[in-house]
Amino acid sequence: MEGVIGILLSLGLLMFLAYRGVSVIILAPVLAMLAVVLAGEGGQMLGIYTQIFMTKMGSFAIKYFPIFLLGAIFGKLMEDSGSAKVIAKSIINSLGTKHASLAIVLACGLLTYGGVSAFVVAFAVYPLAAALFREAELPKRFIPATIALGAFTFTMTCLPGTSQIHNIIPVSYFGTDMYAAPVIGLSAGLAMMLGGLWWINRRINAYKAEGYGDNHSNEPILVQEQNLPSIWVALMPIIVVVLANFLLQKMVIPAWNTEYLSADKFGNMDVSKVKSIWSMIMALIMAVITVVALNWNKFSDVNGSMTKGAMGSMLPTFNTASEVGYGGTIASLGAFLLVKDAVINISPENPLISEVVAVNVLAGITGSASGGLTIALEALGGTYAQLAEQFSINPEWMHRLASMASGGFDSLPHNGAVITLLTICGLSHKQSYKDIFMVSLVIPVTVTAVTVGILSFLI
């Protein structure tokens, strides 16, 4: 029992200290070792650190670093070429002030689905959103929720083929691909988008008399930039990512002779375990080449942009990898068997429920969608895959629900993306968090719960 208390204490401290701004890269190993000591396994601490924590952390970084690296470079190039701004501006101008919230959501959604990171999306869209809300005399405090709905919800976790890491991580655990459960994903994604838009528009209409407001901080100054790309040039890299990823994953890679992967040299690997990563790496490389080739004369320093993108990939890579190391360490403890049994026994006959609960809780504790997802699947992914086979549940359902669940309780106040978004917009938790909470936590969690309920009748 002391070991379980140690695990819960460790998790509680992880949540509290992460909220206080302590780096997860520091917290993860320290708190993992705290759990080891409290579990009565302190004599093995150094062995657990080097052979379990670091091995798990390293294996995640080795496996997914190319995605983080190329995604960050691609996002930075899209930003510096003006392509991200042109896409957002075109959608916003087309829909106008009458559909301000829809325009912002669609702009964020398209960029996120195409592989641009949520942080880059927020930076690119916020100045345009502020100008649109000011022109329409809508309260500024609803801008963060609108951006969050487009960037942190349905395009991040639901839509089949989305290029975000949350859709790639479950692949290796369930033997699926990035297009897993397309009908479920599209239906849930549409429900999240419409539900979020209903809430935002309802709130805007209720407080429209406030107007945009004065004396806001971090107000953007819109400058008429010269030499921006056309909308079709801006869209082409996004099209390349989406189309290349689909063709590579569904047609090209399956046609290759990959029997060599079964050799010891390659870890006796089945191509299904790496197909999604291979396709995403190649699709992002093609997209990077495309954005540079089409916008060569618009960059002041291509090498500088790529270097900044590469450097920007380090922190998210090692944040998430540290959380994987933490999850692997916790899962190795004897006391974790009690925790594991408790989670599974939430609904022993229905692993869909326990999986969604486990991912949501851990995403909430860590304040990270990818962190909670990786900790849960690192500890329980093999078990859920076996349970899915035992109860004849489609593994694609497990994939999609795990991804969807990661985008729920992660949006608690200590979430790094939430804090960054509010900082970009120059607003506080008090001013805007309630609406972020509704569109990126309450509605996604509700949609996921309803989806689980419907699928449970089909088991």
Side-chain angles (χ1 to χ4, degrees), residues 105 115 132 148 162 197 202 205 229 289 340 351 374 417 425:
V105 169
L132 181 62
T162 180
L197 283 169
R202 175 174 170 271
N205 290 332
I289 293 171
K340 178 179 176 180
T374 48
C425 295

Side-chain angles (χ1 to χ4, degrees), residues 133-212:
F133 268 56
R134 190 187 300 113
E135 181 183 346
E137 297 184 352
L138 305 177
K140 181 184 179 181
R141 61 193 176 105
F142 298 116
I143 291 177
T146 311
I147 293 175
L149 176 59
F152 301 164
T153 61
F154 63 99
T155 52
M156 187 176 83
T157 63
C158 293
L159 300 188
T162 180
S163 304
Q164 300 301 314
I165 192 69
H166 317 80
N167 187 41
I168 300 175
I169 290 172
V171 167
S172 60
Y173 295 95
F174 300 114
T176 51
D177 62 30
M178 293 167 63
Y179 297 88
V183 174
I184 294 170
L186 288 169
S187 301
L190 182 62
M192 286 184 195
M193 185 183 78
L194 294 178
L197 283 169
W198 168 80
W199 174 264
I200 291 170
N201 289 330
R202 175 174 170 271
R203 292 275 289 166
I204 287 175
N205 290 332
Y207 292 93
K208 194 171 183 179
E210 286 184 7
Y212 185 78

Side-chain angles (χ1 to χ4, degrees), residues 222-250:
L222 279 180
V223 179
Q224 289 293 341
E225 296 185 57
Q226 303 296 319
N227 201 32
L228 287 174
S230 69
I231 180 60
W232 291 111
V233 168
L235 280 172
M236 190 55 63
I238 299 288
I239 294 171
V240 167
V241 169
V242 175
L243 188 59
N245 185 41
F246 179 82
L247 292 175
L248 285 162
Q249 199 160 162
K250 295 293 187 181

